[in-house]
Amino acid sequence: GRKVKLPAGFAMELADGKTRFPLAEWAKMGVRNTDGSSLPDKDIRAAITFPGKPDEGAYMVYDNYDVILKWNRSRYFATAVGTLSDEIAEQ
């Protein structure tokens, strides 16, 4: 997953962690990386969720997020696992 920036006027009901669209569709809705750059040009489906409160940031998540949630239902935990694994992969 990745932390993302939602555009003004974003339909928040879509950020339920279950509604999935291809990355290109999210991009058409104005969803961007936090640095303002475009989402990757990959043919994968993703959902948007908030691990905590909406003002703490939105995350775009993939199928592996759901697998983590089957083991531990905490969105904080699943987001932390994903973030940590990204950090380890960059080393």
Side-chain angles (χ1 to χ4, degrees), residues 1-2 20-27 39-47 60-64:
R2 68 186 66 242
R20 293 188 184 274
F21 293 112
L23 293 182
E25 187 67 28
W26 287 117
L39 297 174
D41 184 24
K42 296 189 181 214
D43 186 25
I44 56 175
R45 295 175 62 81
M60 179 166 283
V61 296
Y62 310 106
D63 291 340
N64 58 347

Side-chain angles (χ1 to χ4, degrees), residues 23-75:
L23 293 182
E25 187 67 28
W26 287 117
K28 286 179 190 174
M29 290 183 227
V31 177
R32 311 283 287 178
N33 288 315
T34 55
D35 65 3
S37 64
S38 298
L39 297 174
D41 184 24
K42 296 189 181 214
D43 186 25
I44 56 175
R45 295 175 62 81
I48 294 178
T49 191
F50 296 99
K53 300 176 198 163
D55 64 343
E56 295 173 341
Y59 283 80
M60 179 166 283
V61 296
Y62 310 106
D63 291 340
N64 58 347
Y65 187 83
D66 295 331
V67 172
I68 295 167
L69 285 176
K70 286 180 184 177
W71 183 69
N72 184 321
R73 299 298 303 165
S74 168
R75 289 178 292 159

